[in-house]
Coordinates of all heavy atoms in Angstrom, one line a residue:
M130 N -4.6 -6.7 -12.6 CA -5.4 -6.5 -11.4 C -4.8 -5.5 -10.5 O -5.4 -4.6 -10.0 CB -5.7 -7.8 -10.7 CG -6.6 -7.7 -9.6 SD -8.3 -7.6 -10.1 CE -9.1 -7.9 -8.6
L131 N -3.5 -5.6 -10.2 CA -2.8 -4.7 -9.3 C -2.9 -3.3 -9.8 O -3.2 -2.3 -9.1 CB -1.3 -5.1 -9.1 CG -0.5 -4.2 -8.3 CD1 -1.0 -4.2 -6.8 CD2 1.0 -4.7 -8.2
G132 N -2.7 -3.1 -11.1 CA -2.7 -1.8 -11.7 C -4.1 -1.2 -11.5 O -4.3 0.0 -11.3
S133 N -5.2 -2.0 -11.7 CA -6.5 -1.5 -11.5 C -6.8 -1.0 -10.1 O -7.5 0.0 -9.9 CB -7.5 -2.6 -11.9 OG -7.4 -2.9 -13.2
I134 N -6.3 -1.8 -9.2 CA -6.5 -1.4 -7.8 C -5.8 -0.1 -7.5 O -6.3 0.8 -6.9 CB -6.1 -2.5 -6.8 CG1 -7.1 -3.6 -6.9 CG2 -6.0 -2.0 -5.4 CD1 -6.8 -4.8 -6.1
I135 N -4.5 0.0 -7.9 CA -3.8 1.2 -7.6 C -4.4 2.4 -8.3 O -4.5 3.5 -7.7 CB -2.3 1.0 -8.1 CG1 -1.6 0.0 -7.2 CG2 -1.6 2.4 -8.1 CD1 -0.2 -0.4 -7.7
A136 N -4.9 2.2 -9.5 CA -5.6 3.3 -10.2 C -6.8 3.8 -9.5 O -7.2 4.9 -9.7 CB -5.9 2.9 -11.7
S137 N -7.5 2.9 -8.8 CA -8.8 3.3 -8.2 C -8.7 3.6 -6.7 O -9.7 3.8 -6.0 CB -9.8 2.2 -8.4 OG -9.4 1.0 -7.8
L138 N -7.4 3.7 -6.1 CA -7.3 4.0 -4.7 C -7.8 5.3 -4.3 O -8.0 5.6 -3.1 CB -5.9 3.8 -4.3 CG -5.4 2.4 -4.0 CD1 -3.9 2.3 -3.7 CD2 -6.2 1.7 -3.0
D139 N -8.0 6.3 -5.2 CA -8.5 7.6 -4.9 C -10.0 7.5 -4.4 O -10.4 8.4 -3.7 CB -8.4 8.5 -6.1 CG -7.0 8.8 -6.5 OD1 -6.3 9.5 -5.7 OD2 -6.7 8.4 -7.6
N140 N -10.6 6.4 -4.8 CA -12.0 6.2 -4.5 C -12.1 5.8 -3.0 O -11.5 4.8 -2.6 CB -12.6 5.2 -5.4 CG -14.1 4.9 -5.0 OD1 -14.4 4.5 -3.9 ND2 -14.9 5.0 -6.0
P141 N -12.8 6.6 -2.1 CA -12.8 6.2 -0.7 C -13.3 4.8 -0.5 O -12.8 4.2 0.5 CB -13.8 7.3 -0.1 CG -13.7 8.4 -1.0 CD -13.5 7.8 -2.4
Q142 N -14.3 4.3 -1.2 CA -14.8 2.9 -1.0 C -13.7 1.9 -1.3 O -13.6 0.9 -0.7 CB -16.1 2.7 -1.8 CG -17.3 3.4 -1.3 CD -17.3 4.9 -1.8 OE1 -16.7 5.3 -2.8 NE2 -18.1 5.7 -1.1
T143 N -13.0 2.1 -2.4 CA -11.9 1.2 -2.8 C -10.8 1.2 -1.8 O -10.3 0.2 -1.4 CB -11.4 1.6 -4.2 OG1 -12.4 1.6 -5.2 CG2 -10.2 0.6 -4.6
A144 N -10.5 2.4 -1.3 CA -9.4 2.6 -0.3 C -9.8 1.8 1.0 O -9.0 1.1 1.5 CB -9.1 4.0 0.0
A145 N -11.0 2.0 1.4 CA -11.5 1.4 2.6 C -11.5 -0.2 2.4 O -11.2 -0.9 3.3 CB -12.9 1.8 3.0
A146 N -11.9 -0.6 1.3 CA -12.0 -2.1 1.0 C -10.6 -2.7 1.0 O -10.3 -3.7 1.6 CB -12.6 -2.4 -0.3
V147 N -9.6 -2.0 0.4 CA -8.2 -2.4 0.4 C -7.7 -2.4 1.8 O -7.0 -3.4 2.2 CB -7.4 -1.5 -0.5 CG1 -5.9 -1.8 -0.3 CG2 -7.7 -1.8 -2.0
I148 N -7.9 -1.4 2.6 CA -7.4 -1.3 3.9 C -8.0 -2.5 4.7 O -7.2 -3.2 5.5 CB -7.8 0.0 4.6 CG1 -6.9 1.2 4.0 CG2 -7.6 0.0 6.1 CD1 -7.3 2.5 4.4
G149 N -9.2 -2.8 4.6 CA -9.8 -3.9 5.3 C -9.3 -5.3 4.8 O -9.1 -6.2 5.6
A150 N -9.1 -5.4 3.5 CA -8.7 -6.7 2.9 C -7.2 -7.1 3.3 O -7.0 -8.3 3.4 CB -8.9 -6.6 1.4
V151 N -6.3 -6.1 3.4 CA -4.9 -6.4 3.6 C -4.7 -7.0 5.0 O -3.7 -7.7 5.2 CB -3.9 -5.3 3.3 CG1 -4.0 -5.0 1.8 CG2 -4.2 -4.1 4.2
G152 N -5.5 -6.7 6.0 CA -5.4 -7.3 7.3 C -4.2 -6.8 8.1 O -3.7 -7.5 8.9
M153 N -3.9 -5.5 7.9 CA -2.8 -4.9 8.7 C -3.4 -4.2 9.9 O -4.0 -3.2 9.7 CB -1.9 -4.0 7.8 CG -1.1 -4.7 6.8 SD -0.3 -3.6 5.6 CE 0.8 -2.7 6.7
E154 N -3.1 -4.6 11.1 CA -3.6 -4.0 12.2 C -3.2 -2.5 12.4 O -2.0 -2.2 12.2 CB -3.1 -4.7 13.5 CG -3.8 -4.2 14.7 CD -3.5 -5.1 16.0 OE1 -3.3 -6.3 15.8 OE2 -3.5 -4.5 17.1
G155 N -4.1 -1.7 12.6 CA -3.8 -0.2 12.8 C -3.6 0.5 11.5 O -3.3 1.7 11.5
L156 N -3.8 -0.1 10.3 CA -3.5 0.5 9.0 C -4.4 1.8 8.8 O -4.0 2.8 8.4 CB -3.6 -0.4 7.9 CG -3.4 0.1 6.5 CD1 -2.0 0.7 6.4 CD2 -3.6 -0.9 5.4
A157 N -5.7 1.6 9.1 CA -6.6 2.7 8.9 C -6.2 3.9 9.7 O -6.2 5.0 9.2 CB -8.0 2.3 9.2
E158 N -5.8 3.7 10.9 CA -5.4 4.8 11.8 C -4.1 5.4 11.2 O -4.0 6.7 11.3 CB -5.2 4.3 13.2 CG -6.5 3.9 13.9 CD -7.0 2.5 13.5 OE1 -6.2 1.7 12.9 OE2 -8.1 2.2 13.8
R159 N -3.2 4.6 10.8 CA -1.9 5.2 10.2 C -2.2 6.0 9.0 O -1.6 7.1 8.8 CB -0.9 4.0 9.9 CG -0.4 3.4 11.2 CD 0.9 2.6 11.0 NE 0.8 1.5 9.9 CZ 0.4 0.3 10.1 NH1 -0.1 -0.1 11.3 NH2 0.4 -0.5 9.1
V160 N -3.1 5.5 8.1 CA -3.5 6.3 6.9 C -4.1 7.6 7.3 O -3.7 8.6 6.8 CB -4.4 5.5 6.0 CG1 -5.0 6.3 4.9 CG2 -3.7 4.2 5.4
E161 N -5.0 7.5 8.2 CA -5.7 8.8 8.7 C -4.8 9.8 9.3 O -4.8 11.0 9.0 CB -6.8 8.4 9.6 CG -8.0 7.7 9.0 CD -9.1 7.4 10.0 OE1 -9.1 7.8 11.2 OE2 -9.9 6.5 9.6
K162 N -3.8 9.3 10.1 CA -2.9 10.2 10.8 C -1.9 10.8 9.7 O -1.7 12.0 9.7 CB -2.1 9.4 11.8 CG -1.1 10.3 12.6 CD -0.4 9.4 13.7 CE 0.6 10.3 14.4 NZ 1.3 9.5 15.5
A163 N -1.4 10.0 8.8 CA -0.5 10.5 7.8 C -1.2 11.4 6.8 O -0.6 12.5 6.4 CB 0.1 9.3 7.0
A164 N -2.4 11.1 6.5 CA -3.2 12.0 5.6 C -3.5 13.4 6.3 O -3.3 14.4 5.6 CB -4.5 11.3 5.3
A165 N -3.8 13.3 7.6 CA -4.1 14.6 8.3 C -2.8 15.4 8.3 O -2.9 16.7 8.2 CB -4.6 14.3 9.7
A166 N -1.7 14.8 8.5 CA -0.4 15.5 8.6 C -0.1 16.2 7.2 O 0.6 17.2 7.2 CB 0.7 14.6 8.9
E167 N -0.6 15.7 6.1 CA -0.4 16.2 4.8 C -1.6 17.0 4.3 O -1.7 17.5 3.2 CB -0.1 15.1 3.8 CG 1.2 14.4 4.1 CD 2.4 15.2 4.0 OE1 2.4 16.1 3.1 OE2 3.4 14.9 4.7
A168 N -2.6 17.2 5.2 CA -3.9 17.9 4.9 C -4.5 17.3 3.6 O -4.9 18.0 2.7 CB -3.6 19.4 4.7
M169 N -4.6 16.0 3.6 CA -5.2 15.2 2.5 C -6.3 14.3 3.0 O -6.3 14.0 4.2 CB -4.1 14.4 1.8 CG -3.0 15.1 1.1 SD -1.7 14.0 0.5 CE -2.6 13.4 -1.0
E170 N -7.2 13.9 2.1 CA -8.2 12.9 2.4 C -7.4 11.6 2.5 O -6.5 11.4 1.8 CB -9.3 12.9 1.4 CG -10.2 14.1 1.3 CD -11.0 14.3 2.7 OE1 -11.4 13.2 3.2 OE2 -11.1 15.4 3.1
P171 N -7.9 10.7 3.4 CA -7.2 9.4 3.5 C -7.1 8.6 2.2 O -6.0 8.1 1.9 CB -8.1 8.6 4.5 CG -8.7 9.7 5.4 CD -9.0 10.9 4.4
A172 N -8.1 8.6 1.4 CA -8.0 7.8 0.1 C -7.0 8.4 -0.8 O -6.2 7.8 -1.4 CB -9.4 7.8 -0.5
A173 N -7.0 9.8 -0.9 CA -6.0 10.5 -1.7 C -4.6 10.2 -1.2 O -3.7 10.1 -2.0 CB -6.3 12.0 -1.8
Y174 N -4.4 10.3 0.1 CA -3.1 10.0 0.6 C -2.7 8.6 0.3 O -1.5 8.4 -0.1 CB -3.1 10.3 2.2 CG -1.7 10.0 2.7 CD1 -0.7 10.9 2.7 CD2 -1.4 8.7 3.2 CE1 0.6 10.7 3.1 CE2 -0.1 8.4 3.7 CZ 0.9 9.4 3.6 OH 2.1 9.2 4.1
L175 N -3.5 7.6 0.5 CA -3.2 6.2 0.3 C -2.8 6.0 -1.2 O -1.8 5.4 -1.5 CB -4.4 5.3 0.7 CG -4.2 3.9 0.5 CD1 -3.1 3.3 1.5 CD2 -5.5 3.1 0.8
A176 N -3.6 6.6 -2.1 CA -3.3 6.5 -3.5 C -1.9 7.1 -3.8 O -1.1 6.5 -4.5 CB -4.4 7.1 -4.3
A177 N -1.7 8.3 -3.3 CA -0.4 9.0 -3.6 C 0.8 8.2 -3.0 O 1.8 8.1 -3.7 CB -0.4 10.4 -3.0
A178 N 0.6 7.6 -1.8 CA 1.7 6.9 -1.2 C 2.1 5.6 -2.0 O 3.2 5.3 -2.3 CB 1.4 6.5 0.2
V179 N 1.0 4.9 -2.4 CA 1.2 3.7 -3.2 C 1.8 4.0 -4.6 O 2.8 3.3 -5.0 CB -0.1 2.8 -3.3 CG1 0.1 1.7 -4.3 CG2 -0.5 2.3 -1.9
R180 N 1.3 5.0 -5.2 CA 1.8 5.4 -6.5 C 3.2 5.9 -6.5 O 4.0 5.6 -7.4 CB 0.9 6.4 -7.2 CG -0.5 5.8 -7.6 CD -1.4 6.8 -8.1 NE -2.7 6.2 -8.2 CZ -3.8 6.9 -8.1 NH1 -3.9 8.2 -7.8 NH2 -5.0 6.3 -8.3
S181 N 3.5 6.6 -5.4 CA 4.9 7.1 -5.2 C 5.9 5.9 -5.1 O 6.9 5.9 -5.7 CB 5.0 8.0 -4.0 OG 6.3 8.4 -3.8
F182 N 5.5 4.9 -4.3 CA 6.3 3.7 -4.2 C 6.5 3.1 -5.6 O 7.7 2.7 -5.9 CB 5.7 2.7 -3.2 CG 6.4 1.4 -3.2 CD1 7.4 1.2 -2.4 CD2 6.1 0.3 -4.1 CE1 8.2 0.0 -2.4 CE2 6.8 -0.9 -4.1 CZ 7.8 -1.0 -3.2
M183 N 5.5 2.9 -6.3 CA 5.6 2.3 -7.6 C 6.5 3.1 -8.6 O 7.2 2.5 -9.4 CB 4.2 2.1 -8.3 CG 3.3 1.1 -7.5 SD 4.0 -0.6 -7.3 CE 3.8 -1.1 -9.0
E184 N 6.4 4.4 -8.5 CA 7.2 5.2 -9.4 C 8.7 5.3 -8.9 O 9.6 5.6 -9.8 CB 6.6 6.7 -9.4 CG 5.3 6.7 -10.1 CD 4.6 8.0 -9.9 OE1 5.1 9.0 -9.3 OE2 3.5 8.1 -10.4
T185 N 9.0 5.1 -7.7 CA 10.3 5.3 -7.2 C 11.0 4.1 -6.7 O 12.2 4.1 -6.3 CB 10.4 6.4 -6.1 OG1 9.6 5.9 -4.9 CG2 9.8 7.7 -6.5
A186 N 10.3 3.0 -6.6 CA 10.9 1.7 -6.1 C 12.2 1.3 -6.9 O 12.2 1.4 -8.1 CB 9.9 0.6 -6.1
S187 N 13.1 0.8 -6.1 CA 14.3 0.3 -6.8 C 14.1 -1.1 -7.4 O 13.1 -1.7 -7.2 CB 15.4 0.1 -5.7 OG 15.0 -0.9 -4.8
D188 N 15.0 -1.5 -8.2 CA 14.9 -2.8 -8.8 C 14.8 -3.9 -7.8 O 14.1 -4.8 -7.9 CB 16.2 -3.1 -9.7 CG 16.2 -2.2 -11.0 OD1 15.1 -1.7 -11.3 OD2 17.2 -2.1 -11.6
D189 N 15.5 -3.7 -6.7 CA 15.5 -4.7 -5.6 C 14.0 -4.8 -5.0 O 13.6 -5.9 -4.7 CB 16.5 -4.4 -4.5 CG 17.9 -4.6 -4.8 OD1 18.1 -5.4 -5.8 OD2 18.8 -4.1 -4.2
H190 N 13.4 -3.6 -4.8 CA 12.0 -3.6 -4.3 C 11.1 -4.4 -5.3 O 10.3 -5.1 -4.8 CB 11.5 -2.2 -4.1 CG 12.1 -1.6 -2.9 ND1 12.6 -0.3 -2.9 CD2 12.2 -2.0 -1.6 CE1 13.1 0.0 -1.7 NE2 12.8 -1.0 -0.9
F191 N 11.3 -4.2 -6.6 CA 10.4 -4.8 -7.5 C 10.7 -6.3 -7.6 O 9.7 -7.1 -7.6 CB 10.6 -4.2 -8.9 CG 9.7 -3.0 -9.1 CD1 10.3 -1.8 -9.3 CD2 8.3 -3.1 -9.1 CE1 9.6 -0.6 -9.4 CE2 7.6 -1.9 -9.3 CZ 8.2 -0.7 -9.4
V192 N 11.9 -6.7 -7.4 CA 12.2 -8.2 -7.4 C 11.6 -8.8 -6.1 O 11.0 -9.9 -6.2 CB 13.7 -8.4 -7.4 CG1 14.1 -9.9 -7.1 CG2 14.3 -8.0 -8.8
Q193 N 11.7 -8.1 -5.0 CA 11.0 -8.6 -3.8 C 9.5 -8.7 -4.0 O 8.9 -9.6 -3.5 CB 11.4 -7.7 -2.6 CG 12.8 -7.7 -2.2 CD 13.1 -6.6 -1.1 OE1 12.3 -5.9 -0.7 NE2 14.4 -6.6 -0.7
L194 N 9.0 -7.7 -4.6 CA 7.5 -7.6 -4.8 C 7.1 -8.8 -5.7 O 6.1 -9.5 -5.4 CB 7.1 -6.3 -5.4 CG 5.7 -5.9 -5.4 CD1 5.2 -5.9 -3.9 CD2 5.5 -4.5 -6.0
I195 N 7.8 -9.1 -6.7 CA 7.5 -10.2 -7.6 C 7.6 -11.5 -6.9 O 6.7 -12.4 -7.0 CB 8.4 -10.2 -8.9 CG1 8.1 -9.0 -9.8 CG2 8.3 -11.5 -9.7 CD1 9.0 -8.7 -10.8
G196 N 8.6 -11.6 -6.0 CA 8.7 -12.9 -5.2 C 7.6 -13.1 -4.3 O 7.0 -14.2 -4.1
I197 N 7.1 -12.0 -3.7 CA 6.0 -12.0 -2.8 C 4.7 -12.5 -3.6 O 3.9 -13.3 -3.1 CB 5.8 -10.7 -2.1 CG1 6.9 -10.5 -1.1 CG2 4.4 -10.5 -1.5 CD1 7.0 -9.0 -0.5
M198 N 4.5 -11.9 -4.7 CA 3.4 -12.2 -5.5 C 3.4 -13.6 -6.0 O 2.4 -14.3 -6.0 CB 3.3 -11.2 -6.7 CG 3.0 -9.8 -6.3 SD 3.1 -8.7 -7.7 CE 1.5 -9.1 -8.5
N199 N 4.6 -14.1 -6.4 CA 4.7 -15.5 -6.8 C 4.3 -16.5 -5.8 O 3.9 -17.6 -6.1 CB 6.1 -15.8 -7.4 CG 6.3 -15.2 -8.8 OD1 5.4 -15.0 -9.5 ND2 7.6 -14.9 -9.1
R200 N 4.6 -16.2 -4.5 CA 4.3 -17.1 -3.4 C 2.9 -17.0 -2.8 O 2.5 -17.8 -2.0 CB 5.4 -16.9 -2.3 CG 6.8 -17.3 -2.7 CD 7.7 -17.2 -1.5 NE 7.8 -15.9 -0.9 CZ 8.5 -14.8 -1.2 NH1 9.4 -15.0 -2.2 NH2 8.5 -13.7 -0.6
A201 N 2.2 -16.0 -3.3 CA 0.9 -15.8 -2.6 C -0.3 -16.4 -3.3 O -0.3 -16.6 -4.5 CB 0.7 -14.2 -2.6
E202 N -1.2 -16.8 -2.5 CA -2.5 -17.3 -3.0 C -3.2 -16.2 -3.8 O -3.9 -16.4 -4.8 CB -3.3 -17.8 -1.9 CG -4.6 -18.5 -2.3 CD -5.4 -19.1 -1.2 OE1 -4.7 -19.8 -0.3 OE2 -6.6 -18.9 -1.1
D203 N -3.2 -15.0 -3.3 CA -3.8 -13.8 -3.9 C -2.6 -12.8 -4.2 O -2.3 -12.0 -3.3 CB -4.9 -13.2 -3.0 CG -5.6 -12.0 -3.7 OD1 -5.0 -11.4 -4.6 OD2 -6.7 -11.7 -3.2
P204 N -2.0 -12.9 -5.3 CA -0.9 -12.0 -5.6 C -1.1 -10.5 -5.5 O -0.3 -9.8 -5.0 CB -0.5 -12.4 -7.1 CG -1.1 -13.7 -7.3 CD -2.3 -13.8 -6.4
T205 N -2.3 -10.1 -5.9 CA -2.6 -8.6 -5.9 C -2.6 -8.2 -4.5 O -2.0 -7.2 -4.1 CB -3.9 -8.3 -6.6 OG1 -3.7 -8.7 -8.0 CG2 -4.2 -6.9 -6.6
L206 N -3.4 -8.9 -3.7 CA -3.5 -8.5 -2.2 C -2.2 -8.6 -1.5 O -1.8 -7.7 -0.8 CB -4.5 -9.4 -1.5 CG -4.9 -9.1 -0.1 CD1 -5.5 -7.7 0.0 CD2 -5.8 -10.1 0.4
A207 N -1.4 -9.6 -1.8 CA 0.0 -9.7 -1.3 C 0.8 -8.5 -1.6 O 1.6 -8.0 -0.9 CB 0.6 -11.0 -1.7
A208 N 0.7 -8.1 -2.9 CA 1.6 -7.0 -3.4 C 1.2 -5.7 -2.7 O 2.0 -4.9 -2.2 CB 1.4 -6.8 -4.9
V209 N -0.2 -5.5 -2.6 CA -0.6 -4.2 -1.9 C -0.2 -4.2 -0.5 O 0.2 -3.2 0.0 CB -2.2 -4.1 -2.1 CG1 -2.7 -3.0 -1.2 CG2 -2.5 -3.9 -3.6
R210 N -0.3 -5.4 0.2 CA 0.1 -5.5 1.6 C 1.6 -5.2 1.7 O 2.0 -4.4 2.7 CB -0.2 -6.9 2.1 CG 0.1 -7.0 3.6 CD -0.2 -8.5 4.1 NE -1.6 -8.9 3.9 CZ -2.0 -9.9 3.1 NH1 -1.1 -10.5 2.4 NH2 -3.2 -10.2 2.9
A211 N 2.4 -5.7 0.9 CA 3.8 -5.4 0.9 C 4.1 -4.0 0.7 O 5.0 -3.4 1.4 CB 4.6 -6.3 -0.1
I212 N 3.5 -3.3 -0.3 CA 3.7 -1.9 -0.6 C 3.3 -1.1 0.7 O 4.0 -0.2 1.1 CB 2.9 -1.5 -1.8 CG1 3.5 -2.2 -3.1 CG2 2.9 0.0 -1.9 CD1 2.7 -2.1 -4.3
L213 N 2.1 -1.4 1.2 CA 1.6 -0.6 2.4 C 2.5 -0.8 3.6 O 2.7 0.1 4.3 CB 0.2 -1.0 2.7 CG -0.8 -0.5 1.6 CD1 -2.2 -1.1 2.0 CD2 -0.8 1.0 1.4
H214 N 3.0 -2.0 3.8 CA 4.0 -2.2 4.9 C 5.2 -1.4 4.7 O 5.7 -0.9 5.7 CB 4.3 -3.7 4.9 CG 5.1 -4.1 6.1 ND1 4.6 -4.2 7.4 CD2 6.5 -4.4 6.2 CE1 5.6 -4.5 8.2 NE2 6.7 -4.6 7.6
K215 N 5.6 -1.2 3.4 CA 6.8 -0.4 3.2 C 6.5 1.2 3.3 O 7.3 1.9 3.9 CB 7.3 -0.7 1.7 CG 8.6 0.0 1.4 CD 9.7 -0.6 2.1 CE 11.0 0.0 1.7 NZ 12.1 -0.4 2.6
V216 N 5.4 1.6 2.8 CA 5.1 3.0 2.8 C 4.4 3.5 4.1 O 4.5 4.7 4.4 CB 4.3 3.5 1.6 CG1 5.0 3.2 0.3 CG2 2.9 2.9 1.6
L217 N 3.8 2.6 4.9 CA 3.2 3.0 6.1 C 3.5 2.0 7.2 O 2.7 1.3 7.7 CB 1.6 3.1 5.9 CG 1.1 4.2 5.1 CD1 -0.3 4.0 4.7 CD2 1.3 5.5 5.9
P218 N 4.8 2.0 7.6 CA 5.2 1.0 8.6 C 4.6 1.2 10.0 O 4.1 2.3 10.3 CB 6.7 1.2 8.7 CG 6.9 2.6 8.2 CD 5.9 2.9 7.2
E219 N 4.5 0.2 10.7 CA 4.0 0.3 12.1 C 5.0 1.1 12.9 O 6.1 1.2 12.6 CB 3.8 -1.1 12.7 CG 2.7 -1.9 12.0 CD 2.5 -3.3 12.7 OE1 2.5 -3.3 13.9 OE2 2.3 -4.2 11.9
A220 N 4.5 1.7 14.0 CA 5.3 2.4 14.9 C 6.5 1.6 15.3 O 6.4 0.4 15.6 CB 4.5 2.9 16.2
G221 N 7.7 2.2 15.2 CA 8.9 1.6 15.6 C 9.6 0.9 14.4 O 10.8 0.4 14.6
E222 N 9.0 0.8 13.3 CA 9.6 0.2 12.1 C 10.1 1.3 11.2 O 9.5 2.3 11.1 CB 8.6 -0.7 11.3 CG 8.2 -1.9 12.1 CD 7.2 -2.8 11.2 OE1 6.9 -2.4 10.1 OE2 6.8 -3.8 11.7
A223 N 11.2 1.0 10.5 CA 11.7 1.9 9.5 C 11.0 1.7 8.2 O 10.7 0.6 7.9 CB 13.2 1.7 9.4
A224 N 10.8 2.8 7.5 CA 10.2 2.7 6.1 C 11.1 2.1 5.1 O 12.3 2.2 5.2 CB 9.7 4.0 5.7

C-alpha cells in the first residue's frame, strides 16, 4: 500500500488527499512554498521529495519507519506522515 501511494503522488488529487489525510498543520502551504522555490507543481514536488527520502534514507531511518508503522493503526498513513515530517519540517525544525 505504501508503495502504491508513493507511486501515485504525482497525481494532484492523490497528493491533495495525502496532504489532507496526514493531518499535519500547514503542510499544504509548506509543499506549495517548496514547490514554487523549485519551479515545480506541488504534486510533482511532493512525489520527488518522498521518493528522494525513500532512495536515500539511512538504515536508521528505515528502522524508525518500520517501528512507526508497527505501532500505528494505519501503518501506511503513519509512514507517509513520518516521511513528510522529515522532508518538510515545520518552521524552526531541522530536516
Side-chain angles (χ1 to χ4, degrees):
M130 183 77 166
L131 178 59
S133 297
I134 289 176
I135 291 172
S137 63
L138 281 176
D139 295 292
N140 179 302
Q142 289 81 19
T143 301
V147 166
I148 288 169
V151 297
M153 292 173 59
E154 189 172 328
L156 178 60
E158 292 80 12
R159 291 196 307 271
V160 170
E161 289 176 16
K162 184 177 179 179
E167 297 294 328
M169 297 174 75
E170 291 296 320
Y174 179 84
L175 183 64
V179 170
R180 290 176 188 148
S181 177
F182 173 87
M183 294 301 289
E184 292 170 2
T185 62
S187 68
D188 289 343
D189 287 341
H190 284 131
F191 278 112
V192 169
Q193 291 172 3
L194 198 57
I195 290 167
I197 289 167
M198 293 174 75
N199 283 334
R200 293 185 303 272
E202 186 174 314
D203 184 337
T205 300
L206 186 59
V209 171
R210 185 181 301 113
I212 292 167
L213 293 176
H214 186 74
K215 186 72 174 166
V216 301
L217 290 166
E219 294 182 40
E222 291 183 358

